[in-house]
Amino acid sequence: MLMVGLTGGIASGKSAVAARLAALGAVLIDSDRIAREVVAPGSEGLAEIVDAFSDRVLGPDGALDRAALGAVVFADEAARRRLEAITHPRVRARSAELVAAAAPDAVVVNDVPLLVEVGLAPTYHLVVVVRAEVATRLTRLERDRGMDRVDAERRIAAQTDDARRRAAADVVLSNDGTLDELHAAVDQLWRDRLLPYEANVRDRRAVRPERVRLTDPDPTWPQQYARLAARIRHAIAPADLRIDHIGSTAVSGLAAKDVIDIQLTVPSLAEADGPLADRLAAAGFPRLPGQWWDNPRPEGCDRWEKRLHGSADPDRPVNLHLRPAGSPGWRYALLMRDHLRADPDQRAAYLALKRELAASAPDTMAYATAKDPWFDEEHHLAEEWAARSGWRP
């Protein structure tokens, strides 16, 4: 199944997105609703909250008085963290039960207000953030929830800021317009990304662009890599393996195919062929069929074998190279990246070659083959640079 994390600041419109996704067929897990369940009258959660904050947080009927509790915790970070330590484990446990009950081909959307704050983003195949301008959110809180301006501002300030949410987001849905506009954006996301992504994860099918199209340097490539790397790191835990951003998208200012290249360092190819491959596939990084290797530099050496995984996400192609630690291919991937970062002339020469070949050899295999002579020369220059600079991988 596909696991989607949905979040957004208070009054951003997250609930409207969740409702639309549920109407389209998603299995919705509402963390707010579960949070109310785990502190219902008679629950262990409510008893622990009373022990922590006294019965002043109870209403006349013995149920949790959320306004009273909010007045205590929103002005006190330590108190808020104490409350989270009581409720969050219970919410996670109940959410896991609901996920286990979902169909194998489900798109499961977990609506989590504090997804970013508690570091859950890497546990999902995709994170969707709903955002709206602060002024819009303040108006909604005053109009729809009857909050005064000071309380509304305090509630917004108590949550993480938009920049941190955006850094965790694979998809950002803006909700400063009409509900119809928001629904149209959600419908497109469901149709064009979530449904095919789910099918790809289930079938262990990676997205592979067939044509070469260079794009201008994207300043968000490193941030996108960071999200992918965090997802990979979560998938392979407790193994603590080195992960590196490599290839052209790892070199600032260099035009490239919009494909993120990642190197996962493995102890051996036998290790790459074991349970690790299954964990990566389940996280949305299935192995590509067939045999994969890098051409040796210089020629005449044995080919540099590797394992290659891709991404099941139709909107984020990835080449995930699994190479043994210390192997020639592993070393060269890091060396070439660092050499191009350090040498603007060689970086410019590589860019000129890429543009020429993209025009003359636009299919992926022909493009890669045509670059081989340049890579041979780059290998020689990079090794000279490494010797001069004292570079180490």
Side-chain angles (χ1 to χ4, degrees):
M1 63 184 68
L2 187 73
M3 298 297 301
V4 178
L6 173 65
T7 193
I10 186 171
S12 63
K14 175 177 57 63
S15 296
V17 171
R20 185 65 172 185
L21 286 169
L24 290 168
V27 174
L28 180 62
I29 298 177
D30 185 338
S31 292
D32 269 347
R33 180 180 60 78
I34 296 173
R36 290 190 291 272
E37 289 179 2
V38 300
V39 295
S43 67
E44 293 181 359
L46 181 59
E48 193 169 342
I49 288 174
V50 172
D51 285 344
F53 301 106
S54 83
D55 58 7
R56 60 180 169 159
V57 300
L58 294 178
D61 59 353
L64 183 65
D65 183 336
R66 292 185 170 276
L69 180 61
V72 173
V73 302
F74 278 105
D76 184 336
E77 183 177 352
R80 186 169 70 251
R81 293 189 181 281
R82 191 174 184 186
L83 173 63
E84 291 170 354
I86 296 170
T87 59
H88 287 181
R90 291 177 167 85
V91 171
R92 286 196 292 269
R94 178 56 180 153
S95 297
E97 292 176 359
L98 295 173
V99 170
D105 62 349
V107 175
V108 177
V109 176
N110 201 342
D111 180 348
V112 188
L114 299 180
L115 183 151
V116 175
E117 289 89 331
V118 297
L120 291 177
T123 67
Y124 299 100
H125 292 103
L126 198 78
V127 171
V128 178
V129 168
V130 187
R131 68 162 302 279
E133 295 295 335
V134 171
T136 303
R137 295 163 63 194
L138 288 171
T139 298
R140 290 171 181 164
L141 289 172
E142 292 177 284
R143 181 192 65 209
D144 302 334
R145 306 194 193 184
M147 289 187 188
D148 62 50
R149 176 57 65 110
V150 172
D151 190 26
E153 290 175 342
R154 189 177 66 197
R155 292 296 182 99
I156 290 175
Q159 297 181 334
T160 195
D161 58 26
D162 284 342
R164 189 176 170 201
R165 285 196 197 92
R166 192 177 299 110
D170 301 289
V171 177
V172 176
L173 294 175
S174 295
N175 185 31
D176 288 298
T178 67
L179 185 60
D180 285 345
E181 290 171 336
L182 181 64
H183 282 174
V186 175
D187 292 354
Q188 181 178 6
L189 172 65
W190 176 261
R191 180 185 66 246
D192 296 345
R193 192 165 188 178
L194 299 186
L195 288 181
Y197 196 172
E198 184 282 319
N200 288 345
V201 169
R202 180 162 32 93
D203 295 338
R204 298 197 169 190
R205 181 173 53 240
V207 176
R208 295 285 289 171
E210 296 180 358
R211 306 287 288 179
V212 175
R213 186 174 71 86
L214 296 184
T215 64
D216 290 334
D218 185 341
T220 72
W221 278 333
Q223 195 174 75
Q224 293 183 55
Y225 157 75
R227 289 196 297 271
L228 294 163
R231 204 161 280 149
I232 292 166
R233 191 168 288 111
H234 175 77
I236 65 176
D240 185 17
L241 304 179
R242 176 172 173 172
I243 305 173
D244 290 280
H245 189 189
I246 59 171
S248 295
T249 62
V251 181
S252 178
L254 188 60
K257 295 177 294 180
D258 190 16
V259 179
I260 305 294
D261 279 276
I262 300 173
Q263 179 166 271
L264 176 61
T265 302
V266 293
S268 67
L269 291 181
E271 180 81 12
D273 293 336
L276 181 65
D278 290 330
R279 292 201 295 270
L280 289 171
F285 302 96
R287 181 170 166 177
L288 273 67
Q291 300 297 312
W292 296 90
W293 62 86
D294 302 306
N295 291 334
R297 324 267 174 206
E299 292 183 16
C301 304
D302 292 337
R303 66 189 186 185
W304 297 344
E305 288 194 57
K306 64 180 178 181
R307 301 294 182 260
L308 185 63
H309 290 236
S311 169
D313 182 353
D315 275 19
R316 176 25 67 213
V318 170
N319 291 326
L320 176 57
H321 309 261
L322 277 63
R323 296 185 175 106
S327 64
W330 173 88
R331 182 180 186 279
Y332 184 49
L334 300 170
L335 173 58
M336 179 179 172
R337 177 200 65 188
D338 292 349
H339 180 225
L340 291 178
R341 285 174 173 176
D343 189 332
D345 291 337
Q346 188 69 351
R347 191 165 62 243
Y350 186 38
L351 176 57
L353 174 73
K354 285 157 66 80
R355 285 178 170 157
E356 177 186 344
L357 294 180
S360 61
D363 69 275
T364 303
M365 291 303 296
Y367 176 80
T369 301
K371 289 194 294 183
D372 263 351
W374 189 89
F375 281 143
D376 289 335
E377 178 64 16
E378 162 59 17
H379 179 261
H380 174 71
L381 294 174
E383 289 291 0
E384 289 184 339
W385 170 78
R388 291 194 309 271
S389 65
W391 175 87
R392 293 291 182 272

